[in-house]
Each structure stands twice: as C-alpha cells, then as structure tokens.
Amino acid sequence: MDSPYLSRLARGIEPYVPGEQPTSDGLIKLNTNENPYPPSPRVEEALRGRAARLRLYPEIDARTLREIIARREGLSPEQVFVGNGSDEVLSFCFPAFFDPEEPVRFPAVTYSFYRVYAKLFGIPYEEVPMLPGFAVDVQAMTAGRGGAILPNPNAPTSLELPLAVIEDMARAQREKGRVLVVDEAYVAFGQEPSAATLVPRYDNLLVTRTLSKAHALAGLRVGYALGQRGLIEGLLRVKDSFNSYPVDSLAIAAAAAALQDEDYFRLRRDQVVRTRDFFRQGLLERGFAVLPSSANFVFARPNFCPGRELFAALRRRNVLVRRWDAPGIEEYLRISIGTQEEMEKVLAILDEIRASSV
C-alpha cells in the first residue's frame, strides 16, 4: 500500500524489474547475462590492502580510470565519463540530452529501462515498431525531431547493426541537431567494430559501455560513456546535481585492473562466444527458432510448447532464464550463456522436458 506522503511522481512510477537474484545454491543461473567466469586475477590484487584508505573520498572525477579508458579507445580523458554502472550513465542521458518538448525514440523491443527513464524525467517517447525478424527500423528511428537511443547489439533480441548503419543514424541525427546514444553493453561479443570509432567525427554521438558483462564485474557497478567534450560536459552537469562521488575508490581500482588485462579479457570473451555458438546450434537442432546472436545470450522460441510453460519447466529444474509478457516476444526466452558444462546440462534438460511433455 502506498504511503499518503508519496509525491505524485513516486506514486505513478512503474520501476524497472531486474532479473531474479536468488541466494540458493544448485541453480544454473542464466537470467541476467552475467559472465560465467571470474574477473581478471589482477582485480583481486588491485583491491588488496585498500581498506585503510576507505576513510578518504575517491577521486572526484575518476581521473585514473578515465585515463586508462581513453588510452584504450584512442580518445582523451575529457572524452570519457565514468559512472556507477552503465544504468546510471544511461539515466543521466535523459535529462542531459532529451527535452520534454520532443519525444525520444527507441525500438519497441529493447532494454525496458529506457521507458522507465523517460517517464521518470518527464520525457515523451516513441517506441519504434520492429521490422520483420526483430530488425530495428533505422529510418523510423531517426525520422522525428527528438533524440534517439538504442542498444547495439540490441537486447533482448541479441541482433546487431553494422557500424555503417550506426554512422548513418549519427549523421541523420546531427543534421537535425539531435543526439544519438548507442548502448554497447554487449559489443564485445559481436562482430562489428564499436561505434566509439565514430566519436571523433560526430559531436552528437554518445557511446555507453559496462564492465558487468565482458569484464565479469556485475557486482562492482562501473560503466562509462565516450563522446566529444560537449556531451561529456552535459553528463557531468547532471551527475554533479545528484552525487559528486558516484564511483568509489575500490571500483576505480578494480575496473582499472580489469581493463588493463587485455589477454584475460579476450580469453574469457572468446570462451563465451564459442559456448554461445555451440548452444545456439544445439537449440536449432532441437527445433527452436533462435535469432543470430551477437551478445552473451540467445533469444529463442521453443517449438514444442508455449514459452511460458518452458520457462516454468526450466525453473522447476533449477534453471533460471528470462521471459517477458510483452506482445510479440511472449513466446521467447532470453537465455544467458554460462560455462560449456552448464550449457550442455541445459540442452540435456531441454531433451528431458521435451520427452516428458513439459
């Protein structure tokens, strides 16, 4: 029951619902796109002995981490913004770049937090209908007056747009004086180059990233944005109106260590991609409809029972996946990629479910 003291805004908010985070053991947890492997060993080394310094505030601008990211991306530190997870960075984008007078556009099937942010900050929005096969309607995305935001690869579909298409979108948005935000939470698992390569040429393009997926730091909460100075300044204005210290000193140290261990990053990323391709092929052989995946998950529709029933049957067998009751995707399951052993077990469990008629 709502408290009578809540504001009209708080009473009307429909918050984002994250994936289940159970504490029980014995589950194959494939519902939140977490990395199945631990982070770089350098992370633990970087955190050792830092407790005594927790009495001090962290770097106010996360300069150390921004410099490391900038070198990695071929940019300057002034073209990097660091936040408390990419969700926070994305939330700052709405008041920083989108106005209440113009609707922001995003795909109808995409990260559902965009809708929540738009409502929270009073930004009107348009959900652009998908083309056949869940393709993004690029022309419609850039047809209106306002800004545009989308993930690439998209979630939950796992499909990615070519870099040339992203550049076309950035150019179209620039011609009308509006921003394009590209959410690259899953870019490491795809085939296309990052849109960060376009940042020096497009002053209206902002690219966001997270260390939760490919760097296995979901529990740490570090994300960042790449863009020209004018856009970064906009994010800083919003950030400093909320919290001057959103990234703590332990997070800065651990993120810096993870980003500098490129060999480990590639090793684990490649393991996830190989297992993803193995699992997708296994689903196809079992008659599932599975979209081509450029992420660390697959988006699949069973052919032997409704998606809701398979979701429940997997849950009874201690396998957690993600499903939405949203029109057009209610029959699909989003299945994160675990270890090779876990995904082999899931395929065996699917065979068992099929044989038992759910």
Side-chain angles (χ1 to χ4, degrees):
M1 180 178 177
D2 286 346
S3 166
Y5 303 107
L6 296 185
S7 69
R8 185 182 298 109
L9 172 64
R11 287 198 301 270
I13 286 175
E14 296 180 18
Y16 173 76
V17 180
E20 183 183 357
Q21 291 289 349
T23 57
S24 55
D25 296 327
L27 295 173
I28 300 179
K29 188 175 181 299
L30 308 175
N31 65 327
T32 51
N33 300 340
E34 293 152 323
N35 198 306
Y37 303 106
S40 163
R42 295 187 189 180
V43 170
E44 188 169 352
E45 295 172 12
L47 295 178
R48 192 172 297 124
R50 287 186 173 268
R53 293 189 58 81
L54 291 180
R55 65 184 181 84
L56 303 174
Y57 283 107
E59 294 176 338
I60 193 168
D61 58 357
R63 180 78 187 190
T64 299
L65 182 54
R66 287 169 48 233
E67 289 177 348
I68 290 169
I69 295 170
R71 286 196 297 271
R72 196 169 185 261
E73 301 296 333
L75 301 170
S76 71
E78 289 70 32
Q79 293 173 312
V80 180
F81 175 88
V82 176
N84 183 34
S86 64
D87 283 339
E88 180 183 77
V89 177
L90 290 166
S91 73
F92 290 165
C93 290
F94 281 73
F97 309 128
F98 307 138
D99 288 315
E101 294 78 20
E102 299 177 339
V104 60
R105 280 179 164 80
F106 44 82
V109 179
T110 195
Y111 190 27
S112 55
F113 229 145
Y114 300 156
R115 188 182 308 110
V116 175
Y117 294 145
K119 292 180 178 179
L120 177 64
F121 292 108
I123 308 295
Y125 62 91
E126 293 182 9
E127 298 178 271
V128 177
M130 312 303 289
L131 296 175
F134 296 108
V136 173
D137 189 338
V138 174
Q139 290 187 337
M141 281 287 297
T142 58
R145 295 175 297 137
I149 183 170
L150 79 164
N152 195 45
N154 196 11
T157 67
S158 75
L159 301 176
E160 71 178 339
L161 293 170
L163 180 62
V165 173
I166 296 295
E167 182 167 14
D168 288 343
M169 294 179 69
R171 185 182 299 112
Q173 288 294 99
R174 185 176 62 183
E175 288 174 356
K176 62 184 182 183
R178 297 296 180 267
V179 168
L180 172 66
V181 178
V182 181
D183 176 356
E184 288 192 341
Y186 303 101
V187 70
F189 304 102
Q191 291 76 48
E192 288 290 322
S194 166
T197 59
L198 303 175
V199 164
R201 302 203 298 275
Y202 293 89
D203 61 356
N204 67 319
L205 174 65
L206 190 87
V207 178
T208 67
R209 301 261 188 82
T210 177
L211 273 71
S212 296
K213 315 301 183 185
H215 290 88
L217 291 174
L220 192 71
R221 313 312 303 136
V222 174
Y224 58 94
L226 308 169
Q228 291 195 23
R229 293 188 183 190
L231 297 186
I232 299 303
E233 174 63 27
L235 292 176
L236 287 170
R237 291 182 184 184
V238 174
K239 184 266 289 186
D240 288 338
S241 299
F242 280 91
N243 183 1
S244 296
Y245 301 95
V247 186
D248 65 71
S249 56
L250 296 182
I252 290 172
L259 285 169
Q260 292 179 101
D261 195 347
E262 188 69 21
D263 290 342
Y264 185 88
F265 158 75
R266 293 181 183 277
L267 170 69
R268 295 307 196 187
R269 186 270 315 275
D270 292 348
Q271 281 183 285
V272 170
V273 169
R274 284 195 300 270
T275 301
R276 177 197 70 197
D277 294 345
F278 157 81
F279 182 68
R280 179 175 183 270
Q281 183 60 36
L283 292 178
L284 290 171
E285 291 171 357
R286 288 160 174 80
F288 280 70
V290 192
L291 298 186
S293 177
S294 295
N296 65 337
F297 59 88
V298 297
F299 200 51
R301 187 185 72 234
N303 66 339
F304 58 91
C305 71
R308 179 190 296 273
E309 293 183 14
L310 181 56
F311 173 84
L314 288 168
R315 185 66 180 84
R316 290 194 296 272
R317 292 164 175 84
N318 292 327
V319 178
L320 297 186
V321 299
R322 196 80 192 270
R323 178 186 169 275
W324 291 268
D325 273 322
I329 63 171
E330 65 272 18
E331 296 300 331
Y332 283 79
L333 303 180
R334 191 195 70 188
I335 307 173
S336 304
I337 300 304
T339 64
Q340 180 73 18
E341 180 183 14
E342 286 176 327
M343 304 320 290
E344 290 174 0
K345 286 182 180 178
V346 172
L347 290 175
I349 290 170
L350 288 172
D351 290 338
E352 172 193 324
I353 292 173
R354 289 189 61 169
S356 63
S357 299
V358 183

